[in-house]
Coordinates of all heavy atoms in Angstrom, one line a residue:
I929 N -44.6 12.0 63.8 CA -44.1 11.1 64.8 C -44.3 11.8 66.2 O -43.8 12.9 66.3 CB -42.7 10.7 64.6 CG1 -42.5 9.9 63.3 CG2 -42.2 9.8 65.8 CD1 -41.1 9.5 63.0
V930 N -45.1 11.1 67.1 CA -45.4 11.8 68.4 C -44.9 11.0 69.5 O -45.0 11.4 70.7 CB -46.9 12.0 68.5 CG1 -47.3 13.1 67.4 CG2 -47.7 10.8 68.4
H931 N -44.4 9.7 69.3 CA -43.9 8.9 70.4 C -43.1 7.8 69.8 O -43.2 7.4 68.6 CB -45.2 8.3 71.1 CG -44.8 7.4 72.3 ND1 -44.7 8.0 73.5 CD2 -44.7 6.1 72.4 CE1 -44.4 7.0 74.4 NE2 -44.4 5.9 73.8
F932 N -42.2 7.2 70.6 CA -41.5 6.0 70.2 C -41.3 5.1 71.4 O -41.4 5.5 72.6 CB -40.1 6.4 69.7 CG -39.3 7.1 70.7 CD1 -38.4 6.4 71.6 CD2 -39.3 8.5 70.8 CE1 -37.7 7.1 72.6 CE2 -38.6 9.2 71.7 CZ -37.8 8.5 72.6
D933 N -41.1 3.8 71.2 CA -40.8 2.8 72.2 C -39.6 2.1 71.8 O -39.4 1.6 70.7 CB -42.0 1.7 72.3 CG -43.3 2.3 72.8 OD1 -43.3 3.0 73.8 OD2 -44.3 2.1 72.1
I934 N -38.6 2.0 72.7 CA -37.4 1.2 72.5 C -37.5 0.0 73.5 O -37.6 0.2 74.7 CB -36.2 2.0 72.8 CG1 -36.1 3.2 71.9 CG2 -34.9 1.2 72.8 CD1 -35.0 4.2 72.2
C935 N -37.5 -1.2 72.9 CA -37.7 -2.4 73.7 C -36.5 -3.3 73.7 O -35.9 -3.3 72.6 CB -39.0 -3.1 73.3 SG -40.5 -2.2 73.3
G936 N -36.2 -4.0 74.7 CA -35.2 -4.9 74.7 C -34.7 -5.3 76.1 O -35.2 -4.7 77.1
P937 N -33.8 -6.2 76.2 CA -33.3 -6.7 77.5 C -32.2 -5.7 78.0 O -31.8 -4.7 77.3 CB -32.6 -8.0 77.2 CG -32.2 -7.9 75.8 CD -33.3 -7.0 75.1
H938 N -31.7 -5.9 79.2 CA -30.7 -5.1 79.8 C -31.1 -3.7 80.1 O -30.5 -2.7 79.7 CB -29.4 -5.1 79.0 CG -29.0 -6.5 78.5 ND1 -28.7 -7.5 79.3 CD2 -29.0 -7.0 77.2 CE1 -28.5 -8.6 78.6 NE2 -28.6 -8.3 77.3
E939 N -32.2 -3.6 80.9 CA -32.8 -2.3 81.2 C -31.9 -1.2 81.6 O -31.9 -0.1 81.0 CB -33.9 -2.5 82.2 CG -34.7 -1.3 82.6 CD -35.8 -1.6 83.6 OE1 -35.9 -2.7 84.1 OE2 -36.5 -0.6 83.9
A940 N -31.1 -1.4 82.6 CA -30.2 -0.4 83.2 C -29.2 0.1 82.1 O -28.9 1.3 82.0 CB -29.5 -0.9 84.4
A941 N -28.6 -0.9 81.3 CA -27.7 -0.5 80.3 C -28.3 0.3 79.2 O -27.7 1.3 78.7 CB -27.0 -1.8 79.7
V942 N -29.5 0.0 78.8 CA -30.3 0.8 77.8 C -30.5 2.2 78.3 O -30.4 3.1 77.6 CB -31.5 0.0 77.4 CG1 -32.3 0.9 76.4 CG2 -31.2 -1.3 76.7
H943 N -31.0 2.3 79.6 CA -31.2 3.6 80.1 C -29.9 4.5 80.0 O -29.9 5.6 79.6 CB -31.6 3.5 81.6 CG -33.0 3.0 81.8 ND1 -33.6 3.0 83.0 CD2 -33.8 2.4 81.0 CE1 -34.7 2.5 83.0 NE2 -34.9 2.1 81.7
T944 N -28.8 3.9 80.5 CA -27.5 4.6 80.5 C -27.1 5.0 79.1 O -26.6 6.1 78.8 CB -26.4 3.8 81.2 OG1 -26.8 3.5 82.5 CG2 -25.1 4.5 81.1
F945 N -27.3 4.1 78.1 CA -26.9 4.3 76.7 C -27.5 5.5 76.2 O -26.9 6.4 75.6 CB -27.2 3.0 75.9 CG -26.8 3.2 74.5 CD1 -25.6 2.8 74.0 CD2 -27.8 3.6 73.5 CE1 -25.2 2.9 72.7 CE2 -27.4 3.7 72.2 CZ -26.2 3.4 71.8
Y946 N -28.9 5.6 76.2 CA -29.6 6.7 75.6 C -29.4 8.0 76.4 O -29.3 9.1 75.8 CB -31.1 6.4 75.4 CG -31.2 5.4 74.3 CD1 -31.4 4.0 74.5 CD2 -31.2 5.9 73.0 CE1 -31.5 3.1 73.4 CE2 -31.3 5.0 71.9 CZ -31.4 3.6 72.1 OH -31.5 2.8 71.1
R947 N -29.3 7.9 77.7 CA -29.1 9.1 78.5 C -27.8 9.7 78.2 O -27.7 10.9 77.9 CB -29.2 8.8 80.0 CG -29.1 10.0 80.9 CD -29.0 9.7 82.4 NE -27.8 8.9 82.7 CZ -27.8 7.7 83.2 NH1 -28.9 7.1 83.6 NH2 -26.7 7.0 83.4
D948 N -26.7 8.9 78.2 CA -25.4 9.4 78.1 C -25.0 9.7 76.6 O -24.3 10.7 76.3 CB -24.3 8.4 78.7 CG -24.5 8.3 80.2 OD1 -25.3 9.1 80.8 OD2 -23.8 7.5 80.7
L949 N -25.5 8.9 75.7 CA -25.2 9.1 74.3 C -25.9 10.3 73.7 O -25.3 11.2 73.0 CB -25.5 7.9 73.4 CG -25.2 8.0 71.9 CD1 -23.7 8.2 71.6 CD2 -25.8 6.8 71.2
L950 N -27.2 10.4 74.0 CA -28.1 11.4 73.3 C -28.6 12.5 74.2 O -29.3 13.4 73.8 CB -29.2 10.7 72.6 CG -28.8 9.7 71.6 CD1 -30.1 8.9 71.1 CD2 -28.0 10.3 70.5
G951 N -28.3 12.4 75.5 CA -28.7 13.5 76.5 C -30.2 13.4 76.8 O -30.8 14.4 77.2
W952 N -30.8 12.2 76.6 CA -32.2 12.0 76.9 C -32.4 12.0 78.4 O -31.6 11.5 79.2 CB -32.8 10.7 76.3 CG -32.8 10.7 74.8 CD1 -32.4 11.7 74.0 CD2 -33.3 9.7 74.0 NE1 -32.6 11.3 72.7 CE2 -33.1 10.1 72.7 CE3 -33.8 8.4 74.3 CZ2 -33.5 9.3 71.6 CZ3 -34.1 7.6 73.2 CH2 -34.0 8.0 71.9
T953 N -33.6 12.5 78.9 CA -34.0 12.3 80.3 C -34.7 11.0 80.4 O -35.7 10.7 79.6 CB -35.0 13.5 80.6 OG1 -34.3 14.7 80.5 CG2 -35.4 13.3 82.1
V954 N -34.3 10.2 81.3 CA -34.9 8.8 81.5 C -35.5 8.8 82.9 O -34.8 9.0 83.9 CB -33.8 7.7 81.4 CG1 -34.5 6.4 81.6 CG2 -33.2 7.8 80.0
N955 N -36.8 8.6 83.0 CA -37.6 8.6 84.2 C -38.2 7.2 84.4 O -39.3 6.9 84.0 CB -38.7 9.6 84.2 CG -38.1 11.0 84.2 OD1 -37.3 11.4 85.0 ND2 -38.6 11.8 83.2
P956 N -37.5 6.3 85.2 CA -38.1 5.0 85.5 C -39.4 5.1 86.2 O -39.6 6.0 87.1 CB -37.0 4.4 86.4 CG -35.8 5.1 86.1 CD -36.2 6.5 85.8
Q957 N -40.4 4.3 85.7 CA -41.7 4.4 86.3 C -42.0 3.1 87.1 O -43.1 2.9 87.6 CB -42.8 4.5 85.1 CG -42.6 5.7 84.3 CD -42.8 7.0 85.1 OE1 -43.9 7.2 85.6 NE2 -41.8 7.8 85.2
G958 N -41.1 2.2 87.2 CA -41.2 1.0 87.9 C -40.5 -0.1 87.1 O -39.9 0.2 86.1
P959 N -40.4 -1.3 87.6 CA -39.6 -2.3 86.9 C -40.1 -2.5 85.5 O -41.3 -2.6 85.2 CB -39.9 -3.6 87.7 CG -40.4 -3.1 89.0 CD -41.1 -1.8 88.8
G960 N -39.1 -2.4 84.6 CA -39.4 -2.7 83.2 C -40.0 -1.6 82.3 O -40.2 -1.8 81.1
Y961 N -40.1 -0.4 82.9 CA -40.7 0.7 82.1 C -40.2 2.1 82.5 O -40.1 2.4 83.7 CB -42.2 0.7 82.2 CG -42.9 1.7 81.3 CD1 -43.2 1.3 79.9 CD2 -43.4 2.9 81.7 CE1 -43.8 2.2 79.1 CE2 -44.0 3.8 80.8 CZ -44.2 3.4 79.5 OH -44.8 4.3 78.6
A962 N -39.7 2.9 81.5 CA -39.3 4.2 81.8 C -39.8 5.2 80.7 O -39.9 4.8 79.5 CB -37.7 4.3 81.8
L963 N -40.2 6.3 81.1 CA -40.6 7.4 80.2 C -39.3 8.1 79.9 O -38.4 8.3 80.7 CB -41.6 8.3 80.8 CG -43.0 7.7 81.1 CD1 -43.8 8.7 81.9 CD2 -43.6 7.3 79.8
V964 N -39.2 8.6 78.6 CA -38.0 9.3 78.2 C -38.4 10.6 77.4 O -39.5 10.6 76.9 CB -37.0 8.5 77.3 CG1 -36.5 7.3 78.1 CG2 -37.7 8.0 76.0
E965 N -37.6 11.6 77.5 CA -37.8 12.8 76.7 C -36.5 13.2 76.1 O -35.5 13.2 76.7 CB -38.3 13.9 77.6 CG -38.7 15.1 76.8 CD -39.5 16.2 77.6 OE1 -39.9 15.9 78.8 OE2 -39.6 17.3 77.1
T966 N -36.6 13.5 74.8 CA -35.4 14.0 74.1 C -35.2 15.5 74.3 O -36.2 16.2 74.6 CB -35.5 13.6 72.6 OG1 -36.6 14.5 72.0 CG2 -35.9 12.2 72.3
P967 N -34.0 16.0 74.0 CA -33.8 17.4 74.1 C -34.8 18.3 73.2 O -35.1 19.4 73.5 CB -32.4 17.6 73.7 CG -31.7 16.4 74.0 CD -32.8 15.3 73.7
S968 N -35.3 17.7 72.1 CA -36.2 18.4 71.2 C -37.6 18.3 71.7 O -38.5 19.0 71.2 CB -36.1 17.8 69.8 OG -36.7 16.5 69.8
G969 N -37.9 17.6 72.8 CA -39.2 17.5 73.4 C -40.0 16.2 73.0 O -41.1 16.0 73.5
L970 N -39.5 15.5 72.0 CA -40.1 14.2 71.6 C -40.1 13.3 72.8 O -39.0 13.1 73.4 CB -39.5 13.6 70.4 CG -40.1 12.3 69.9 CD1 -41.6 12.5 69.5 CD2 -39.3 11.8 68.7
R971 N -41.2 12.6 73.1 CA -41.3 11.7 74.2 C -41.5 10.3 73.8 O -42.0 10.0 72.7 CB -42.4 12.1 75.1 CG -42.2 13.4 75.8 CD -43.3 13.8 76.7 NE -43.0 15.1 77.3 CZ -43.9 15.8 78.0 NH1 -45.1 15.4 78.1 NH2 -43.5 17.0 78.5
G972 N -41.0 9.3 74.6 CA -41.1 7.9 74.3 C -41.0 7.1 75.6 O -41.2 7.6 76.7
S973 N -40.7 5.9 75.4 CA -40.5 5.0 76.5 C -39.4 4.0 76.2 O -39.1 3.7 75.0 CB -41.8 4.3 76.9 OG -42.1 3.4 75.8
I974 N -38.8 3.4 77.3 CA -37.9 2.3 77.2 C -38.6 1.2 78.0 O -38.9 1.4 79.1 CB -36.5 2.6 77.8 CG1 -35.8 3.7 76.9 CG2 -35.6 1.4 77.8 CD1 -34.5 4.3 77.5
V975 N -38.7 0.0 77.3 CA -39.5 -1.1 77.9 C -38.5 -2.3 77.9 O -37.9 -2.7 76.9 CB -40.7 -1.4 77.1 CG1 -41.5 -2.5 77.7 CG2 -41.6 -0.2 76.9
D976 N -38.5 -2.9 79.1 CA -37.6 -4.1 79.3 C -38.4 -5.3 78.7 O -39.4 -5.7 79.2 CB -37.3 -4.3 80.8 CG -36.3 -5.4 81.0 OD1 -35.3 -5.4 80.2 OD2 -36.4 -6.1 82.0
T977 N -37.9 -5.9 77.6 CA -38.5 -7.1 77.0 C -37.3 -8.0 76.6 O -36.2 -7.7 76.6 CB -39.2 -6.7 75.7 OG1 -38.4 -6.1 74.8 CG2 -40.4 -5.7 76.0
E978 N -37.7 -9.3 76.3 CA -36.7 -10.3 76.0 C -36.1 -10.0 74.6 O -34.9 -10.3 74.4 CB -37.4 -11.7 76.0 CG -37.7 -12.2 77.3 CD -38.2 -13.6 77.3 OE1 -37.9 -14.3 76.3 OE2 -38.9 -14.0 78.3
T979 N -36.9 -9.5 73.7 CA -36.4 -9.2 72.3 C -36.4 -7.7 72.0 O -37.3 -7.0 72.4 CB -37.2 -10.0 71.3 OG1 -38.6 -9.6 71.4 CG2 -37.1 -11.5 71.5
P980 N -35.4 -7.3 71.3 CA -35.3 -5.9 70.9 C -36.3 -5.5 69.8 O -36.6 -6.3 69.0 CB -33.9 -5.7 70.4 CG -33.4 -7.0 70.0 CD -34.2 -8.0 70.8
Q981 N -36.8 -4.3 69.9 CA -37.7 -3.7 68.9 C -37.8 -2.2 69.1 O -37.8 -1.7 70.2 CB -39.1 -4.3 69.1 CG -40.1 -3.8 68.1 CD -41.5 -4.5 68.3 OE1 -41.5 -5.7 68.2 NE2 -42.5 -3.8 68.5
L982 N -37.8 -1.5 68.0 CA -38.0 -0.1 68.0 C -39.3 0.2 67.3 O -39.5 -0.2 66.2 CB -36.8 0.6 67.3 CG -37.0 2.1 67.2 CD1 -37.0 2.8 68.5 CD2 -35.8 2.7 66.3
T983 N -40.2 0.9 68.0 CA -41.5 1.2 67.4 C -41.7 2.7 67.4 O -41.5 3.4 68.4 CB -42.6 0.5 68.2 OG1 -42.3 -0.9 68.3 CG2 -44.0 0.7 67.5
I984 N -42.2 3.3 66.3 CA -42.6 4.7 66.3 C -44.1 4.8 66.4 O -44.8 4.0 66.0 CB -42.0 5.5 65.1 CG1 -42.6 4.9 63.8 CG2 -40.5 5.5 65.1 CD1 -42.3 5.7 62.5
G985 N -44.5 5.9 67.0 CA -45.9 6.2 67.2 C -46.3 7.4 66.3 O -45.6 8.5 66.5
V986 N -47.3 7.3 65.5 CA -47.7 8.4 64.6 C -49.1 8.7 64.9 O -50.0 7.9 65.1 CB -47.6 7.9 63.1 CG1 -48.0 9.0 62.2 CG2 -46.1 7.4 62.8
A987 N -49.4 10.0 65.1 CA -50.7 10.5 65.3 C -51.5 10.5 64.0 O -51.1 10.8 62.9 CB -50.7 12.0 65.8
V988 N -52.8 10.0 64.2 CA -53.7 9.9 63.0 C -55.0 10.6 63.5 O -55.4 10.5 64.6 CB -53.9 8.5 62.6 CG1 -52.7 7.9 62.0 CG2 -54.5 7.6 63.7
A989 N -55.7 11.2 62.5 CA -57.0 11.8 62.8 C -58.1 10.9 63.1 O -59.0 11.2 63.9 CB -57.4 12.7 61.6
D990 N -58.1 9.7 62.5 CA -59.2 8.7 62.7 C -58.6 7.3 62.8 O -58.1 6.8 61.8 CB -60.2 8.8 61.5 CG -61.4 7.9 61.7 OD1 -61.2 6.7 62.3 OD2 -62.5 8.2 61.3
L991 N -58.4 6.9 64.0 CA -57.7 5.6 64.3 C -58.4 4.4 63.6 O -57.7 3.6 63.0 CB -57.7 5.4 65.8 CG -56.8 4.2 66.3 CD1 -55.4 4.3 65.8 CD2 -56.9 4.1 67.8
D992 N -59.7 4.3 63.7 CA -60.3 3.1 63.0 C -60.1 3.1 61.5 O -59.8 2.1 60.9 CB -61.8 3.1 63.3 CG -62.1 2.8 64.8 OD1 -61.3 2.1 65.4 OD2 -63.1 3.4 65.3
T993 N -60.2 4.3 60.9 CA -59.9 4.4 59.5 C -58.5 4.1 59.1 O -58.2 3.3 58.1 CB -60.3 5.8 58.9 OG1 -61.7 6.0 59.2 CG2 -60.0 6.0 57.5
A994 N -57.5 4.5 59.9 CA -56.1 4.2 59.7 C -55.8 2.8 59.8 O -55.1 2.2 59.0 CB -55.3 5.1 60.6
V995 N -56.4 2.1 60.8 CA -56.2 0.7 61.0 C -56.8 -0.1 59.8 O -56.1 -1.0 59.2 CB -56.8 0.1 62.3 CG1 -56.9 -1.4 62.3 CG2 -56.1 0.7 63.5
A996 N -58.0 0.3 59.3 CA -58.6 -0.4 58.2 C -57.7 -0.2 56.9 O -57.5 -1.1 56.1 CB -60.0 0.1 58.0
E997 N -57.2 1.0 56.8 CA -56.4 1.4 55.6 C -55.1 0.6 55.6 O -54.6 0.1 54.6 CB -56.1 2.9 55.5 CG -55.4 3.3 54.3 CD -56.1 3.1 53.0 OE1 -57.3 2.7 53.0 OE2 -55.6 3.5 51.9
A998 N -54.5 0.4 56.8 CA -53.3 -0.4 56.9 C -53.5 -1.8 56.5 O -52.7 -2.4 55.8 CB -52.8 -0.3 58.4
Q999 N -54.6 -2.4 56.9 CA -55.0 -3.7 56.4 C -55.2 -3.8 54.9 O -54.7 -4.7 54.3 CB -56.2 -4.2 57.2 CG -56.0 -4.5 58.6 CD -57.2 -4.9 59.3 OE1 -58.2 -4.2 59.5 NE2 -57.3 -6.2 59.7
R1000 N -55.9 -2.8 54.4 CA -56.1 -2.8 52.9 C -54.8 -2.7 52.2 O -54.7 -3.3 51.1 CB -57.0 -1.6 52.6 CG -57.4 -1.5 51.1 CD -58.1 -0.3 50.7 NE -57.2 0.9 50.6 CZ -56.4 1.0 49.6 NH1 -56.4 0.2 48.6 NH2 -55.6 2.1 49.5
L1001 N -53.8 -2.1 52.7 CA -52.5 -1.9 52.1 C -51.5 -3.1 52.4 O -50.4 -3.0 52.0 CB -51.9 -0.6 52.5 CG -52.6 0.7 52.1 CD1 -52.1 1.9 52.7 CD2 -52.6 0.8 50.5
G1002 N -52.0 -4.1 53.0 CA -51.2 -5.3 53.2 C -50.6 -5.5 54.6 O -49.8 -6.4 54.8
G1003 N -51.0 -4.6 55.5 CA -50.6 -4.7 56.8 C -51.4 -5.6 57.6 O -52.5 -6.1 57.2
A1004 N -51.0 -5.9 58.9 CA -51.8 -6.7 59.8 C -51.9 -6.0 61.1 O -51.0 -5.3 61.6 CB -51.1 -8.1 60.0
V1005 N -53.1 -6.3 61.8 CA -53.3 -5.7 63.1 C -52.6 -6.5 64.1 O -52.7 -7.7 64.2 CB -54.8 -5.6 63.4 CG1 -55.0 -5.1 64.8 CG2 -55.5 -4.7 62.4
V1006 N -51.7 -5.8 64.9 CA -51.0 -6.5 66.0 C -51.8 -6.2 67.3 O -51.9 -7.1 68.1 CB -49.6 -5.9 66.2 CG1 -48.9 -6.4 67.4 CG2 -48.8 -6.1 64.9
M1007 N -52.3 -5.0 67.5 CA -53.1 -4.7 68.6 C -54.3 -3.8 68.1 O -54.0 -2.7 67.5 CB -52.3 -3.9 69.7 CG -53.1 -3.5 70.9 SD -52.1 -2.5 72.1 CE -52.0 -0.9 71.2
P1008 N -55.5 -4.2 68.3 CA -56.7 -3.4 67.9 C -56.7 -2.1 68.7 O -56.0 -1.9 69.7 CB -57.9 -4.2 68.1 CG -57.4 -5.1 69.2 CD -56.0 -5.4 69.0
P1009 N -57.5 -1.1 68.2 CA -57.6 0.2 69.0 C -57.9 -0.1 70.5 O -58.8 -0.9 70.8 CB -58.8 0.9 68.3 CG -58.7 0.4 66.9 CD -58.3 -1.0 67.0
T1010 N -57.0 0.5 71.3 CA -57.1 0.2 72.8 C -56.8 1.5 73.5 O -56.0 2.3 73.2 CB -55.9 -0.8 73.1 OG1 -56.1 -2.0 72.4 CG2 -55.9 -1.1 74.6
D1011 N -57.6 1.8 74.5 CA -57.5 2.9 75.4 C -56.6 2.5 76.6 O -57.0 1.7 77.4 CB -58.8 3.4 75.9 CG -58.7 4.7 76.7 OD1 -57.6 5.0 77.3 OD2 -59.7 5.4 76.9
N1012 N -55.4 3.0 76.7 CA -54.5 2.5 77.7 C -54.5 3.5 78.9 O -53.7 3.4 79.8 CB -53.0 2.4 77.2 CG -52.3 3.7 76.9 OD1 -52.9 4.8 77.1 ND2 -51.1 3.6 76.4
G1013 N -55.4 4.4 78.9 CA -55.5 5.4 80.0 C -54.9 6.7 79.7 O -55.2 7.7 80.4
W1014 N -53.9 6.7 78.8 CA -53.2 7.9 78.4 C -53.6 8.3 77.0 O -53.9 9.5 76.7 CB -51.7 7.8 78.4 CG -51.1 7.6 79.8 CD1 -51.6 8.2 81.0 CD2 -50.0 6.9 80.2 NE1 -50.8 7.8 82.0 CE2 -49.8 7.0 81.5 CE3 -49.1 6.1 79.4 CZ2 -48.7 6.4 82.2 CZ3 -48.0 5.5 80.1 CH2 -47.9 5.6 81.5
V1015 N -53.7 7.3 76.1 CA -54.1 7.6 74.7 C -54.9 6.4 74.2 O -54.9 5.3 74.8 CB -52.8 7.8 73.8 CG1 -52.0 9.0 74.2 CG2 -51.9 6.5 73.8
V1016 N -55.5 6.6 73.1 CA -56.2 5.5 72.4 C -55.2 5.2 71.2 O -54.9 6.1 70.4 CB -57.6 5.8 71.9 CG1 -58.2 4.7 71.1 CG2 -58.5 6.2 73.1
K1017 N -54.8 3.9 71.1 CA -53.8 3.6 70.1 C -54.1 2.2 69.6 O -54.8 1.4 70.2 CB -52.4 3.7 70.7 CG -52.1 2.6 71.8 CD -50.7 2.8 72.3 CE -50.3 1.7 73.3 NZ -48.9 1.8 73.7
A1018 N -53.4 1.9 68.5 CA -53.5 0.6 67.9 C -52.1 0.3 67.3 O -51.3 1.2 67.1 CB -54.5 0.5 66.7
Q1019 N -51.8 -1.0 67.1 CA -50.5 -1.3 66.4 C -50.8 -2.2 65.2 O -51.6 -3.1 65.2 CB -49.6 -2.0 67.4 CG -49.0 -1.1 68.4 CD -47.9 -1.8 69.3 OE1 -48.0 -3.0 69.6 NE2 -46.9 -1.1 69.6
V1020 N -50.1 -1.8 64.1 CA -50.2 -2.6 62.9 C -48.7 -3.0 62.5 O -47.8 -2.4 62.8 CB -50.8 -1.8 61.8 CG1 -52.3 -1.4 62.1 CG2 -50.1 -0.5 61.5
R1021 N -48.7 -4.1 61.7 CA -47.4 -4.6 61.2 C -47.4 -4.2 59.7 O -48.4 -4.5 59.0 CB -47.3 -6.1 61.4 CG -45.9 -6.6 61.1 CD -45.8 -8.1 61.5 NE -46.1 -8.4 62.8 CZ -45.2 -8.2 63.9 NH1 -44.1 -7.6 63.7 NH2 -45.6 -8.5 65.1
D1022 N -46.4 -3.6 59.2 CA -46.3 -3.2 57.8 C -45.9 -4.5 57.0 O -45.6 -5.5 57.5 CB -45.4 -2.0 57.5 CG -43.9 -2.4 57.7 OD1 -43.5 -3.5 57.7 OD2 -43.1 -1.4 57.7
P1023 N -46.0 -4.4 55.6 CA -45.7 -5.6 54.8 C -44.3 -6.2 55.0 O -44.1 -7.3 54.8 CB -45.9 -5.1 53.4 CG -46.9 -4.0 53.5 CD -46.6 -3.3 54.8
A1024 N -43.4 -5.3 55.5 CA -42.0 -5.8 55.8 C -41.9 -6.4 57.1 O -40.8 -7.0 57.5 CB -41.0 -4.7 55.6
G1025 N -42.9 -6.3 58.0 CA -42.9 -6.9 59.3 C -42.6 -5.9 60.5 O -42.6 -6.3 61.6
N1026 N -42.4 -4.6 60.1 CA -42.2 -3.6 61.2 C -43.5 -3.3 61.9 O -44.6 -3.2 61.2 CB -41.6 -2.3 60.5 CG -40.3 -2.6 59.9 OD1 -39.4 -3.0 60.5 ND2 -40.3 -2.3 58.6
V1027 N -43.4 -3.0 63.2 CA -44.6 -2.6 63.9 C -44.7 -1.1 64.0 O -43.7 -0.4 64.3 CB -44.6 -3.2 65.4 CG1 -45.7 -2.7 66.2 CG2 -44.6 -4.7 65.3
L1028 N -45.8 -0.6 63.8 CA -46.1 0.9 63.8 C -47.3 1.1 64.8 O -48.3 0.4 64.7 CB -46.5 1.4 62.4 CG -47.0 2.8 62.3 CD1 -45.8 3.8 62.6 CD2 -47.5 3.1 60.9
T1029 N -47.1 2.1 65.7 CA -48.2 2.4 66.6 C -48.9 3.6 66.0 O -48.3 4.6 65.6 CB -47.6 2.8 68.0 OG1 -46.9 1.7 68.5 CG2 -48.7 3.2 68.9
L1030 N -50.2 3.5 65.9 CA -51.1 4.6 65.4 C -51.8 5.1 66.7 O -52.4 4.4 67.4 CB -52.1 4.0 64.4 CG -51.5 3.3 63.2 CD1 -52.6 2.7 62.4 CD2 -50.7 4.4 62.4
I1031 N -51.7 6.4 66.9 CA -52.2 7.1 68.1 C -53.3 8.1 67.6 O -53.1 8.9 66.8 CB -51.1 7.8 68.8 CG1 -50.0 6.8 69.2 CG2 -51.7 8.5 70.0 CD1 -48.8 7.4 69.8
Q1032 N -54.5 7.9 68.3 CA -55.6 8.8 68.0 C -55.2 10.2 68.4 O -54.8 10.5 69.5 CB -56.9 8.4 68.7 CG -58.1 9.3 68.5 CD -58.6 9.2 67.1 OE1 -58.9 8.1 66.6 NE2 -58.8 10.3 66.4
Q1033 N -55.4 11.1 67.4 CA -55.0 12.5 67.6 C -56.0 13.2 68.5 O -57.2 13.0 68.5 CB -54.9 13.2 66.3 CG -54.0 14.4 66.2 CD -53.9 14.8 64.8 OE1 -54.7 14.7 64.0 NE2 -52.7 15.4 64.5

């Protein structure tokens, strides 16, 4: 696990919750998005969205192969491989409906 996204409404309250409860550093980047860092150095983000969702990001050696394997194993592609300017990543939904972010190593 190399990244996580915590999504949901009530941006200011969510920032305060994780900062005060867990000692995370929360760095707002503009409306609706903040970068966070845990005391152990794991980094993630808090995203203001209408519905709550927690997504983990896992590094993979070959993104295209991992996406194809996820589909073979009963998953579905939520977001195809995409270069967002920081990383190349994709999102897949597991058979239970959870979203997983795959990040090119």
Side-chain angles (χ1 to χ4, degrees):
I929 297 174
V930 296
H931 185 84
F932 60 88
D933 295 308
I934 298 172
C935 303
H938 315 297
E939 179 179 5
V942 175
H943 289 191
T944 299
F945 180 85
Y946 285 99
R947 183 186 64 236
D948 294 354
L949 178 66
L950 301 175
W952 292 1
T953 301
V954 178
N955 294 307
Q957 301 295 300
Y961 188 80
L963 293 173
V964 297
E965 185 170 350
T966 69
S968 68
L970 180 61
R971 294 180 179 168
S973 66
I974 296 174
V975 183
D976 190 40
T977 61
E978 289 184 23
T979 57
Q981 177 175 305
L982 176 63
T983 306
I984 60 171
V986 178
V988 296
D990 184 323
L991 186 59
D992 292 328
T993 299
V995 169
E997 185 67 0
Q999 289 178 293
R1000 187 187 75 74
L1001 294 169
V1005 175
V1006 175
M1007 180 182 74
T1010 303
D1011 185 339
N1012 72 2
W1014 292 328
V1015 297
V1016 179
K1017 65 182 185 176
Q1019 288 188 319
V1020 296
R1021 190 173 305 280
D1022 73 13
N1026 299 299
V1027 175
L1028 174 67
T1029 300
L1030 303 171
I1031 300 169
Q1032 180 66 53
Q1033 208 172 27

